[in-house]
Amino acid sequence: MATRTAIGICMIGMLAGANPAFAQRNKGNIQQSLDWARGIVVDGQLDDWGDSLQYEHATQQFRYHIKNDAENVYVAMRVQDKDRQMQIFAQGLAFMVNIQGKKRDGPTVYFPVADRLAFRSIMSADNDDRPDDMRKGALEAIRAIYVMRFDDVLDGQISLENTYGIHARATLDTTDALCVEMVVPLARLGISVDDGDEFAFNVKINGVMIPGSGTSVPTMRRGYGYPYGYGYGYPYGYGSQMPSKPREEPGVWVKSLLANE
């Protein structure tokens, strides 16, 4: 009997390694509640988040942390894998808040949004200052933030230096990881630390799950596209339409009250 049990455990372990359905269940170390933010400057440098971001979404291969203070909610994400980084430069990261506490669509910030023509100019062979690393060229071409579903902000691109209080920055750190910070004012979401309500927060790398792709980097089928194209595909509304709505990467959800000091 003990031998059969041991064999069964081994078989489950083998399936988990070989079957993407098993692998996708391993979401990593998921954040359970928000933490109070102290001294965070949204500049793409993550030194004010501690030695390392505490939480991990293993399926999409990024680390993250969500915090709030009395005025804002902040998110930091760190991506080491270069294929995932290129997916981000093509399609962006998303930070969503559902103020009803449901795992459903809500106000969302997409970042980065680069200017396609600026990127081509930066990476042109005629540019004497052309960076060797395509990622650095992509960083230099970031021109905007994209927002959706805010009550008092029209859907679409907003400037990096906007008056809405929604800001985001991205950098490459000394280990070659892509680091991104975003901030959204609580007032812009219509919520407060005094509400005592549970909210739902989602962070993810934008992408579409292709059947049979497992945990590999998703392929985008519209826009200028991943992996090494550059431009605005889903969700920004440019490019050819798909015949039916794709199944989006779900990201990782955190359902929590806002933290109090």
Side-chain angles (χ1 to χ4, degrees):
M1 185 67 179
T3 302
R4 290 182 180 178
T5 302
I7 292 173
I9 292 172
C10 289
M11 288 297 293
I12 291 172
M14 291 171 65
L15 286 170
N19 189 335
F22 276 82
Q24 288 191 21
R25 294 176 189 172
N26 177 20
K27 298 295 186 180
N29 177 25
I30 302 301
Q31 186 171 351
Q32 301 298 317
S33 60
L34 267 62
D35 299 309
W36 189 257
R38 299 181 187 278
I40 293 178
V41 178
V42 178
D43 56 6
Q45 307 289 337
L46 303 185
D47 51 338
D48 43 8
W49 291 80
D51 293 337
S52 176
L53 299 182
Q54 295 184 24
Y55 305 104
E56 177 189 21
H57 185 39
T59 301
Q60 284 201 321
Q61 299 171 285
F62 66 80
R63 301 192 69 85
Y64 70 98
H65 201 158
I66 306 171
K67 297 184 179 183
N68 71 272
D69 57 21
E71 296 182 351
N72 301 299
V73 59
Y74 305 85
V75 61
M77 300 174 69
R78 185 174 185 274
V79 184
Q80 191 74 57
D81 182 82
K82 289 187 177 180
D83 284 339
R84 285 290 184 179
Q85 291 175 14
M86 293 308 300
Q87 182 187 353
I88 291 165
F89 286 127
Q91 302 298 336
L93 294 164
F95 175 45
M96 179 188 298
V97 182
N98 183 285
I99 63 174
Q100 283 79 41
K102 307 294 185 181
K103 292 183 178 181
R104 298 175 183 170
D105 290 349
T108 306
V109 177
Y110 298 97
F111 181 82
V113 178
D115 183 276
R116 187 170 68 251
L117 295 179
F119 178 72
R120 288 177 178 172
S121 176
I122 290 168
M123 298 305 297
S124 170
D126 296 330
N127 180 8
D128 293 336
D129 297 321
R130 180 182 187 273
D132 295 331
D133 190 333
M134 182 180 290
R135 298 170 305 158
K136 293 180 180 178
L139 284 172
E140 292 179 31
I142 293 172
R143 296 291 186 269
I145 300 166
Y146 198 97
V147 297
M148 291 182 68
R149 307 183 194 93
F150 283 85
D151 288 341
D152 55 355
V153 184
L154 291 176
D155 289 359
Q157 292 186 30
I158 60 174
S159 168
L160 295 175
E161 304 299 332
N162 63 82
T163 59
Y164 302 115
I166 301 170
H167 299 295
R169 291 292 185 274
T171 62
L172 291 170
D173 69 13
T174 56
T175 70
D176 231 18
L178 177 63
C179 301
V180 175
E181 289 180 293
M182 304 184 197
V183 58
V184 180
L186 298 180
R188 191 67 61 191
L189 297 165
I191 62 178
S192 165
V193 293
D194 299 323
D195 288 343
D197 296 324
E198 185 177 68
F199 305 109
F201 306 87
N202 183 276
V203 288
K204 69 177 182 178
I205 302 171
N206 284 321
V208 172
M209 298 176 69
I210 305 302
S213 64
T215 58
S216 63
V217 179
T219 301
M220 300 307 299
R221 292 183 176 174
R222 69 166 82 177
Y224 297 92
Y226 173 83
Y228 300 114
Y230 202 78
Y232 310 122
Y234 180 84
Y236 306 119
Y238 300 91
S240 60
Q241 296 296 316
M242 298 184 70
S244 61
K245 184 177 180 180
R247 183 185 175 196
E248 299 176 26
E249 288 266 14
V252 58
W253 285 97
V254 179
K255 293 185 67 175
S256 172
L257 303 173
L258 291 170
N260 277 281
E261 187 175 13

